Each structure stands twice: as structure tokens, then as C-alpha cells.
Amino acid sequence: MSARDDIAALDEAEARADHARLAAEIAAHDRLYYQQDAPAVSDAEYDALRHRFDAIEARFPDLATDDSPSRRVGTAPSGGFAKIVHRVPMLSLGNAFASDDVAEFEARIRRFLNLKTEDSLDLLAEPKIDGLSASLRYEDGRFVQGATRGDGAEGEDVTANMSTLDDVPARLHGKAPAVLEVRGEVYMAKADFLALNERQAAAGERAFANPRNAAAGSLRQLDTAITRSRPLRFFAWGWGELSASVADCQSGFIERLVTCGFKVAAERRLCRGAAEALDYYRDIGLRRGTLAYDIDGVVYKVDRLDWQARLGFVSRAPRWAIAHKFPAEQATTLLRAIDIQVGRTGALTPVARLAPVNVGGVVVQNATLHNANEIARKDVRIGDTVTVQRAGDVIPQIVVIVADKRPADAVPYVFPTVCPCDLHTPVVREYEAVVARCTGEMACPYQQLARLEHFVGRDAFDIDGLGAKHVEAFWRDGLLRDPADIFTLADHRASLIGREGWGEQSVDNLLRGIEARRSIGLDRFIAALGIRNIGQATARLLARTYGSLAYWHAAMRRAAAERAASPEEMKKADKVGEAWAELCNIDGIGFAAADELSAFFSEPHNLAILEKLETALDVQPVAAPRTADSPVAGKTIVFTGTLDKMTRNEAKARAESLGAKVAGSVSAKTDLVVAGQGAGSKAAKATELGIETIDEDTWLALIGDG
Ligand code: IVH
């Protein structure tokens, strides 16, 4: 019997067992080959395993999981690359989808910089290539380090692989600053991508879904020879650390990079304001299909570098640049089923299971249906033919149903009134009935799992070797129930080693990964808790405001108690609502976030888990940035009245970048009030409380901008 016939004869249970065995075996050979440079089988034997494995997955597609070897194309086995901390963080870009967003981008900048109507605002427009960003460090003109973006703060060391690219000069041409970090996009041209996929197919390897995946998979190879064999290119769009200035505008800098030996997008154009930038967008949109590489939009950047510096950053994106995306790509397919997923906060999200369809180069099988109202509004029914769309990295969505293809027996979808978990806990409707939420809280197994997955996610604990799939498997077997259990996994070392797909070495790697995360910054710790409305930016704000875990915890418990107290009780308390008021007074914390924090800290289950985590971990205080040389670090400042030399937003951003906290109203906690023209009641209150009040010029002199 040939291998194919044998697979055709397998029933599902046999296939599952064989698939799991092969997955473990292939993973073990991958480790030997990539990590230890010590293959235990010949290439032909390895290929035979892969062929059998692929043939089983082809017959039983449900067996393919995200971490099965077939999907792990390019992702290096964990711990493969050393980590590199970016000296200048690698940020991302805000998005514009419509012309109005671009006009608003210009208007926002004009307001921020207080520009006059007649002042022209030059924008450099460039194609946005859908690759992966990388940072190349040059010291004394020599290429010394290449890093991926990673989470923006810390990337992976891909120096050896980057040096195989023709577009990465080993030495800079001409004179260059002593330190120059060039940033740009690693990508694959369309023709090269198609040719690579042909070669992959001929070699029995899996094809890449799109040029971006192919580029990422090719760069993140532990074997540099593989990267060298792949047609990777690099185009420069910016810079990181720099020891001396080389230009006073973005376009000038980019031209300097060309003389240094880099490739940049030839299609770039310097535009006068949003109107010209939009012409460029339309132009390149029409030529999109004829370009040698895939683009998913264009990027506009304020050309003057002194203006870029004044505009600065908000959250993780610069105020001086924006990505203008092309409209989403669409396709039609069959809706086979609607599943309900329960998120970490208990929200029930309907997910459409689709017949696989290619949408702009990516195979889509799932799409979000958002919520019950959305299903009702679009009248989506199982069996319908639907139009799906994908916009950038956003989860695919169902746009509309194709009415004339509806089967006669399709019935309206009935949204569940109980949680799909074993407890069948009732579902409540919140936010004007839009969000359906399971009331099981920590008792609902789905919520437990989703919280665990969030906890180990990239923006949270990001534990090497502990991906969402492992968490799910451990959770199924009762090894993990809440996040604190992760830190006692070492007690189960023996039983972990006995698990399928795990060996002594991989378990010890995992335990080392966990140990390495026992010490963590307060901002990541707060974000990891997965409190509703408390994302990364808010977590960072809280960490910077409260400083240490002990102080934050105590303040949140007081705020929660004050929030819960009746008005009568609050009157009796000697410090009326002080912690609650302090929380609400943090600029950037809305009422909804303050409310969720109080709710979290009023829940005994949460407090118990928090206390377990506090015992197991060493949570590091977060220092305000640049405390060493900043006269206002750690101070709470209130701006009031009209400022002359800068807008209030700019002043606020500047103060925050110097480590100050900016509050909206004056209280006993305020250290300094900066009063502009026409300052009214806030300035009066400051005088009453004896708080130092200064004018704008004194403020500028204080921070060294005078
Ligand atoms: S500028 C401070 N320019 O798009 C961030 N990015 O969505 C500066 N990208 O992470 C980014 N082409 O990987 C910039 N011409 C271009 C780009 C570009 C592609 C990528 C880049 C970035 C992502 C943000």
C-alpha cells in the first residue's frame, strides 16, 4: 500500500494520533537542526515525515493548529534570537481611512503648532510597503547590528541575516555620523515572492500566504544560509539613534540615505498640505498593480524635522506622521456556522466560520460578526453567501449578505441567552444591549482561559515558550486556573515532562522563561491583569502616576472603597473620596477606566489572585522618563488659560515627556500651576491653596525652552 492509500484509509482517530506523533517528531528534528545544528536524520527522511504530515493535514484540515509545524513557517523556535533593546523605541503609525481623516491630520498639526493659514505645511508622501520593519545600526560607517521591531521596545537580533541582503551595505558610502540607525522595511517583491512559492511547491514545502509572511519567515531563520537564499530587499524610510544631525527635513534625510548606499521608495513625493497628498494617494492607488511590490497604503510625514520634534508622539505613534490605507479587499464565500467566543471580560463574540476564501492574497476562514445587534441588522444566517473584507491586519469582517443566494430553509440566527460554557451561566446585555456578557466572571472557564491567554500575551508577560496554545492545553488539564498558577508550574516539572510534545529540555526552557519573567515592570504587570478599559497606554500612565505596586494597589483599594461608599458614609470619612478623586484627576484616565479599576478592586476573587501574584513576583517600579535631568519629573502640573508660544496640547505633551503628570484641575496634590492669559478660577484656587503659580515664560525657562 502506498503512503497516499494508507492515509486515505485512516479514520479520524487514527489520523489524529498519527498527526500528533508526526508533529512532535518534526518539531524535535527542527530543534536539532535549527537550534543545535545537529540533524539526526537525512534530509530525505525528514522530507518523508513532512510529506506524510502534510498529506494528513490535507485530508483532515481540522487537525492543523496554529503551532503545528506546517503553520510555524519562519517563526524561529523560541529563544532562537537574542533580544535587543531599541535605544530609540520603534513606534507604529496612526491610520487614516478616508480623505477627511487626512484633512483632519493636517488640521490637527496646524492647531498643535499654531500655524497661520498662509504658513505652508510640507508633507513627504511615500508608499507604505507591507513588509516588516527593521533597524540597522552603523557605527563609524560599519554595519554592526540588525534588529526586528519586536514589541517596539525590544526586538530580535537578526544581524547575521540582515547582512545577507544586497540592499544592506556593509559600509556606508561617504561621510556619515559616528552612530546612525537606519530604519526601514524588509520586504519581498511580487515577482520574487511568486518564484519563491514555485520553488517551495517544487520542494514539497508549504507556500507562503503573501509577500509579507514570506519576508518575515525568511528573515527569522536561525540558519543564515536559508535567509541568504531568499530574495529579501530593504527600503529605508527613517532612522533611530543618531549621533549628529544630517538634514533639517525628512526628504533631505532620505536623500542622504541614498548617498549612504540605501534604497528608498522612488515613488515618494513632497506635497504641499493634505490636498496635494491626496492627489498622490489617488495617483499611486491607480498604479498600485503595476508596482514591483505590494503596498497597503501611503504614509505622510511632516517634512520639517524641527516641527516633528515639537509634535512628538502620542501613545505609540508620532503626531507628525500617518498611514493612509487603501480600501479593504473583498471576496464572497459561504457562511458555514456561527460560533460564540467568550472573551476575558465575559463578552460573547459571534464568529463566522467560512468556507476558505482568498481575500487579497490571504486565505480567510473566520470573520468576526461583532455582536448580536450586528447579526440582526445584517440578518446574517447560517447557509448564507456573504461578502467578507480584510483591511490591513484587522480581523476579517462580514460586510453584507448576498440576498439572492439565500437557501430557502435558512432561519434567523437566535443569539444564546446563556454562556456556551459548561456552567450555562446567564448572559446579560450591557451598553444599550449591544454587548452580551456572561455573568460567570472567574467561575466561567472560558473567561479564565481568555484571561490566562491575555496574561501571557506579547504586550503583557510575553513568556518565552508559553504561547496561547500551551496555555490552553495546560488549562484543559487543570494545570492552570489563574495567572498565579503559572509561577508554580515548576512544582509540576515531572508531569510536564511526561506530556506529549514535551521533553526534559523543552520543559526546562519553559521554566527558565517563566523564571525570567518573575521580575517585571509595573506597567506590564497592570496591563497583564486584563482589566476592562485598561490597555497598555493606560497601564503605563497608572504605573507612572503611582510608581510602585504597593502604592498603586493601596490607592486602588481606597478608591474602590470610596466609590462604593454611600454619599452619607463619604461625608463621614475624614478624607472624603481622596483616592477616587486622585484617580479621576489623572489626565488620560476617563471615568469609565476609573470605574473598571474600582470594580476590579472590589472583587474578592481578583484580590486573591493579585495577592498570590504579588508574593510570586518582583514587580519593578516604573520611573518617570528622564528624571535625572528634568526639573519637573514626578511633579503634578496644571495648565490653565491661553498660552502664547504653544498650544495647551503641546505644553501638556512636553511636560509629560519630561516626566511630569498633567492634571485637569487644581487640588492639594498639585505642585505647579502654569497660568496663561485669562487664567480664571484654577489660578485663584492655586493661590488659595498656596500652590506655586508661574507664567508661560517662566515655565519655558524652567524646562529649558525659554
Ligand atoms: S514610518 C514612527 N514609512 O508601517 C514610525 N513606515 O504601520 C515610523 N511602513 O512600523 C514609520 N512603509 O513597518 C514608515 N514609508 C514608510 C513605511 C512604513 C511601511 C511600515 C513600518 C511601520 C508600519 C506602521
Side-chain angles (χ1 to χ4, degrees):
M1 202 193 282
S2 79
R4 294 258 158 219
D5 294 342
D6 157 34
I7 286 162
L10 292 179
D11 67 23
E12 192 165 346
E14 289 166 338
R16 186 176 297 280
D18 214 12
H19 179 268
R21 175 186 65 79
L22 286 164
E25 209 170 315
I26 292 169
H29 288 309
D30 282 346
R31 272 195 299 276
L32 287 169
Y33 183 87
Y34 290 116
Q35 284 185 335
Q36 292 157 30
D37 287 327
V41 290
S42 70
D43 288 356
E45 282 168 298
Y46 178 84
D47 287 347
L49 290 174
R50 280 302 293 249
H51 281 145
R52 183 171 176 82
F53 180 82
D54 290 345
I56 293 179
E57 273 195 1
R59 221 197 115 208
F60 298 95
D62 289 350
L63 292 178
T65 57
D66 282 351
D67 59 353
S68 80
S70 55
R71 300 280 169 91
R72 269 184 305 151
V73 190
T75 42
S78 65
F81 294 101
K83 294 270 157 88
I84 285 181
V85 174
H86 297 299
R87 290 181 223 208
V88 175
M90 291 186 78
L91 300 142
S92 54
L93 291 172
N95 286 324
F97 294 98
S99 313
D100 285 355
D101 299 337
V102 181
E104 174 51 27
F105 167 68
E106 174 175 1
R108 214 163 40 230
I109 291 170
R110 286 184 167 278
R111 277 199 303 274
F112 194 97
L113 297 173
N114 217 359
L115 299 187
K116 297 195 196 70
T117 329
E118 62 270 24
D119 293 332
S120 79
L121 174 64
D122 287 349
L123 299 171
L124 181 67
E126 291 174 349
K128 183 170 184 306
I129 296 190
D130 199 12
L132 68 152
S133 42
S135 188
L136 309 176
R137 188 175 174 85
Y138 287 81
E139 285 174 5
D140 298 322
R142 243 199 278 265
F143 175 56
V144 293
Q145 191 172 68
T148 60
R149 177 175 183 276
D151 63 3
E154 200 178 70
E156 285 177 324
D157 184 344
V158 287
T159 311
N161 288 352
M162 286 298 308
S163 64
T164 68
L165 270 64
D166 288 344
D167 293 349
V168 175
R171 276 169 181 278
L172 298 179
H173 310 171
K175 239 175 83 67
V179 174
L180 169 61
E181 270 179 16
V182 178
R183 292 189 170 165
E185 209 74 1
V186 177
Y187 68 100
M188 208 175 270
K190 288 182 206 167
D192 291 339
F193 161 73
L194 295 174
L196 171 64
N197 264 356
E198 266 173 44
R199 288 203 300 277
Q200 292 281 107
E205 302 279 339
R206 201 166 266 244
F208 293 102
N210 54 42
R212 187 189 180 283
N213 284 4
S218 302
L219 182 64
R220 297 183 72 259
Q221 288 286 340
L222 288 174
D223 181 353
T224 302
I226 299 183
T227 307
R228 192 188 304 280
S229 74
R230 301 279 172 81
L232 288 177
R233 296 169 193 252
F234 179 81
F235 104 101
W237 45 242
W239 56 93
E241 200 185 348
L242 195 64
S243 59
S245 135
V246 304
D248 55 11
C249 57
Q250 181 82 27
S251 48
F253 203 119
I254 295 298
E255 268 144 38
R256 258 309 287 276
L257 291 179
V258 177
T259 57
C260 286
F262 289 96
K263 301 267 168 52
V264 301
E267 294 79 10
R268 69 191 184 281
R269 188 190 296 172
L270 194 60
C271 305
R272 278 206 151 201
E276 277 190 32
L278 288 170
D279 288 342
Y280 169 84
Y281 173 85
R282 276 184 288 270
D283 243 34
I284 200 159
L286 293 174
R287 292 189 295 119
R288 191 177 170 190
T290 65
L291 296 177
Y293 41 79
D294 265 345
I295 64 175
D296 59 345
V298 301
V299 183
Y300 310 125
K301 299 170 187 172
V302 169
D303 197 44
R304 273 178 62 163
L305 297 185
D306 57 338
W307 285 358
Q308 287 190 8
R310 279 177 61 192
L311 285 157
F313 298 85
V314 61
S315 190
R316 303 180 73 169
R319 282 196 190 81
W320 44 264
I322 199 163
H324 189 181
K325 297 296 198 71
F326 289 130
E329 316 224 36
Q330 299 190 335
T332 2
T333 188
L334 180 70
L335 174 71
R336 288 178 172 161
I338 296 177
D339 285 350
I340 299 288
Q341 281 181 350
V342 184
R344 65 169 206 274
T345 58
L348 268 56
T349 306
V351 178
R353 305 294 181 201
L354 307 165
V357 61
N358 190 316
V359 189
V362 173
V363 177
V364 169
Q365 318 197 40
N366 305 309
T368 176
L369 282 161
H370 300 289
N371 53 52
N373 287 13
E374 185 80 358
I375 299 182
R377 194 170 61 78
K378 292 180 181 153
D379 186 21
V380 178
R381 304 182 184 187
I382 296 165
D384 270 342
T385 295
V386 294
T387 302
V388 283
Q389 76 172 23
R390 216 173 47 83
D393 283 334
V394 184
I395 313 162
Q397 300 175 343
I398 293 198
V399 191
V400 71
I401 59 150
V402 184
D404 54 8
K405 291 215 175 144
R406 167 166 288 170
D409 58 353
V411 289
Y413 180 74
V414 181
F415 203 83
T417 51
V418 295
C419 179
C421 76
D422 296 343
L423 300 176
H424 301 306
T425 27
V427 163
V428 291
R429 292 294 188 90
E430 291 176 357
Y431 299 111
E432 308 193 336
V434 173
V435 178
R437 205 178 290 284
C438 157
T439 49
E441 296 274 338
M442 293 303 280
C444 166
Y446 288 132
Q447 291 192 47
Q448 284 172 358
L449 175 60
R451 275 176 204 238
L452 281 164
E453 286 172 348
H454 172 81
F455 191 86
V456 300
R458 205 164 89 159
D459 293 334
F461 269 69
D462 191 20
I463 294 172
D464 264 353
L466 190 61
K469 291 284 158 195
H470 303 125
V471 166
E472 185 173 344
F474 293 166
W475 167 83
R476 279 193 196 290
D477 297 348
L479 277 168
L480 294 182
R481 276 292 166 262
D482 69 58
D485 294 339
I486 293 170
F487 297 95
T488 53
L489 271 180
D491 302 346
H492 305 283
R493 181 172 175 275
S495 71
L496 286 174
I497 291 172
R499 294 175 68 89
E500 202 165 315
W502 291 83
E504 200 159 332
Q505 203 183 343
S506 52
V507 168
D508 286 338
N509 282 344
L510 168 67
L511 296 177
R512 258 197 299 281
I514 293 173
E515 278 315 300
R517 282 304 200 185
R518 264 190 210 274
S519 173
I520 191 153
L522 178 59
D523 49 346
R524 267 184 187 260
F525 178 80
I526 296 176
L529 296 176
I531 303 169
R532 246 187 276 172
N533 287 320
I534 311 296
Q536 252 186 317
T538 315
R540 204 170 308 131
L541 197 57
L542 288 166
R544 274 171 53 181
T545 307
Y546 292 95
S548 74
L549 173 60
Y551 190 70
W552 177 66
H553 184 148
M556 292 306 101
R557 292 202 44 178
R558 278 204 308 278
E562 288 165 6
R563 173 93 180 97
S566 70
E568 279 313 302
E569 282 170 276
M570 276 183 88
K571 267 186 229 147
K572 274 186 264 157
D574 46 350
K575 287 179 186 159
V576 180
E578 199 187 293
W580 172 252
E582 184 186 5
L583 176 60
C584 296
N585 201 28
I586 301 171
D587 211 21
I589 301 271
F591 183 73
D595 233 11
E596 294 297 354
L597 282 161
S598 305
F600 183 87
F601 276 86
S602 315
E603 170 57 55
H605 281 303
N606 295 336
L607 296 178
I609 295 171
L610 207 53
E611 270 154 32
K612 277 200 277 175
L613 285 171
E614 286 169 0
T615 320
L617 301 176
D618 176 20
V619 179
Q620 302 290 324
V622 167
R626 295 183 45 188
T627 33
D629 54 358
S630 161
V632 294
K635 300 233 161 108
T636 300
I637 301 180
V638 173
F639 290 95
T640 177
T642 312
L643 302 178
D644 253 1
K645 311 244 163 57
M646 54 174 83
T647 60
R648 188 109 61 95
N649 259 347
E650 185 176 0
K652 180 181 157 214
R654 186 84 181 97
E656 280 173 351
S657 77
L658 291 168
K661 298 167 219 165
V662 178
S665 63
V666 176
S667 75
K669 299 247 167 190
T670 312
D671 294 301
L672 183 65
V673 172
V674 180
Q677 304 284 330
S681 63
K682 290 184 192 175
K685 178 144 188 218
T687 318
E688 191 186 308
L689 292 172
I691 293 164
E692 186 183 358
T693 304
I694 58 175
D695 63 15
E696 185 179 0
D697 286 338
T698 318
W699 157 252
L700 291 174
L702 174 69
I703 60 170
D705 282 359

